[in-house]
Amino acid sequence: MTARRLGLTLTLLAASSAALAAPGAFAYLKGGAAWVVRPPGFTARPVPNAQGAALLSFSPGGTLAFLTGPAGVKLHAPSVPVLRPWLSRAPYTRSEPLSALVPGKAATGLRARWLRWSGGQTLIAGGDDGTVGWNLTTRSTFSPGVAARFQSSSADGDVTAALGSIRSPDDVGVLLYGPGARPGTEVFSRRLPDNLIRALKAAPQPEIRAFVRDLDPRQQAEGRNWTVTTPQVTRGGQRGFFASNAGYGVSSAGRTSAVIFQVDVDEVRLQALGWLGVFSGSVQEVLPSPDGRRLLILLHRGESSARVSVSVIVAHLDRKTRREFVATGAPTGTLPVLDSACWLADSRHVALSVAYPRPADLGPQNSFTPPAAAHTLLVKDATSGAAVHRVPGATGVACGPA
């Protein structure tokens, strides 16, 4: 090999390694402000105008939306104060109020408890004042409805999956909108569960077959016995994922059993990922990685008031493998509490914010929520589970593009 070719090869290898090493941007809340971390390192910088930040959300294009309010805002309190929406674009050296782009009273402030993007140009928030959406392309405000909290969209916004039913808004199930202007399609619902049951019966694994045998039509008829996580659509919009107990029944502690399902968007075909087995506990979220090749499954298991475990399961869809690791080793006498989690842009690392309070430290006085200072943000290798970065006192983690 000539020296020139060798030098070119080494240059390409170095560039490839650098690309692989870049974890992508992520943001978090700490010390009453918002901070952002951009590749290639883990150096954090404060987001301008983000003092009093309470909520964070990245758009697929990298715009960071956040809401600010009085110091010490508690989103789990009986009421929340008016919060002001802001936007900050890469390289996150300046921020502008949403009201500078979209007119209307809601853009100046609202009593919000959650914030998320639908596609790259639509921002939605909801809380004590109802649900409101802002279209940054048309610079207009709209009313998306309460169900907007329980939906996700592809990066371009053409495909949306949501909880609900066409026949009854109170019927738990999964609706699919897209691609394009196709009307909503009911993937399944409690009252029409045939697709879900067929998908379960098609899975050959003994554990899934045992799960199907345990299903009781009388329990399935009761809406309170169903659990379905918010369906999460991949960035490209080809697939969606969610977990459901198929009406297996929920104990007083919230414990049940659930299976992970995959929806093929083009064919509206439902498949039970039987190779993952059955999850005992309460599945909180099923999050596909940015490249769509892995799932981040957040699982809460409550044995009793004094024994609770939080697990993160990373499943590789191509290899059909799964690895489970507890967020960190829980100290004796503590309860692990997972505040937030997301995939970094490289699809190789996950960011988690977790705390380990003692049961006696949680009560109505703090809405059973540990203080922000008790949390630690961990960036973990999704394959080994090893922590590669820590930020004490960080919550509300949100991940964006590289």
Side-chain angles (χ1 to χ4, degrees):
M1 182 180 293
T2 65
R4 181 180 179 182
R5 288 183 179 178
L6 177 61
L8 179 60
T9 300
L10 292 175
T11 299
L12 291 174
L13 287 173
S16 176
S17 298
L20 289 174
F26 62 95
Y28 55 83
L29 304 173
K30 181 179 180 180
W35 299 75
V36 66
V37 178
R38 298 187 69 203
F42 287 104
T43 302
R45 69 166 59 167
V47 179
N49 301 110
Q51 283 295 326
L55 288 165
L56 302 172
S57 183
F58 268 109
S59 77
T63 298
L64 178 64
F66 59 95
L67 301 180
T68 60
V73 171
K74 292 180 174 58
L75 299 177
H76 300 291
S79 64
V80 291
V82 173
L83 304 178
R84 187 182 187 188
W86 294 79
L87 299 175
S88 183
R89 296 178 173 85
Y92 313 109
T93 54
R94 61 184 298 268
S95 303
E96 59 182 333
L98 180 63
S99 57
L101 296 177
V102 182
K105 181 179 179 181
T108 62
L110 72 163
R111 301 178 189 276
R113 294 181 184 270
W114 56 270
L115 178 72
R116 66 177 54 186
W117 290 88
S118 178
Q121 293 297 315
T122 301
L123 181 65
I124 303 175
D128 296 354
D129 292 337
T131 307
V132 62
W134 300 281
N135 188 312
L136 302 188
T137 301
T138 61
R139 301 196 172 194
S140 60
T141 302
F142 65 97
S143 299
V146 178
R149 182 176 184 179
F150 306 105
Q151 69 180 43
S152 69
S153 300
S154 58
D156 58 13
D158 282 350
V159 177
T160 296
L163 293 184
S165 166
I166 293 175
R167 291 161 182 79
S168 170
D170 299 325
D171 188 14
V172 64
V174 172
L175 290 174
L176 185 65
Y177 299 89
R182 189 177 74 188
T185 299
E186 192 165 290
V187 178
F188 85 96
S189 70
R190 172 179 62 88
R191 297 178 183 175
L192 294 173
D194 291 351
N195 283 348
L196 194 77
I197 301 304
R198 278 197 296 268
L200 285 168
K201 290 182 176 179
Q205 292 80 9
E207 192 174 359
I208 304 298
R209 293 191 178 279
F211 176 82
V212 174
R213 286 195 300 268
D214 287 338
L215 296 179
D216 183 347
R218 292 170 298 181
Q219 289 190 5
Q220 289 181 304
E222 296 290 337
R224 64 177 179 269
N225 286 333
W226 281 79
T227 63
V228 185
T229 63
T230 297
Q232 298 293 332
V233 178
T234 57
R235 288 179 61 88
Q238 295 91 353
R239 292 178 293 178
F241 298 91
F242 64 90
S244 176
N245 70 343
Y248 185 82
V250 183
S251 71
S252 59
R255 187 181 180 89
T256 184
S257 296
V259 176
I260 307 299
F261 294 86
Q262 173 181 296
V263 183
D264 181 281
V265 170
D266 288 337
E267 300 178 6
V268 195
R269 181 171 56 90
L270 193 58
Q271 177 186 0
L273 300 184
W275 57 272
L276 277 170
V278 177
F279 293 90
S280 178
S282 177
V283 178
Q284 303 296 299
E285 286 189 284
V286 181
L287 304 174
S289 60
D291 64 7
R293 300 179 64 187
R294 300 185 188 192
L295 297 179
L296 181 65
I297 304 165
L298 308 181
L299 180 66
H300 178 275
R301 298 187 183 100
E303 304 291 344
S304 67
S305 60
R307 184 174 180 180
V308 178
S309 63
V310 175
S311 294
V312 175
I313 298 94
V314 174
H316 199 296
L317 296 171
D318 296 335
R319 300 173 185 171
K320 289 185 170 54
T321 59
R322 55 177 278 184
R323 178 184 180 88
E324 179 174 349
F325 53 90
V326 178
T328 58
T332 302
T334 64
L335 302 177
V337 176
L338 186 63
D339 169 80
S340 49
C342 58
W343 279 102
L344 271 62
D346 62 359
S347 297
R348 297 174 58 241
H349 294 87
V350 296
L352 314 166
S353 176
V354 65
Y356 294 92
R358 295 174 300 173
D361 294 335
L362 301 179
Q365 73 279 3
N366 54 20
S367 301
F368 297 93
T369 303
H375 290 77
T376 298
L377 187 155
L378 304 168
V379 177
K380 291 203 162 195
D381 184 288
T383 300
S384 67
V388 299
H389 186 63
R390 297 172 183 265
V391 183
T395 60
V397 60
C399 296

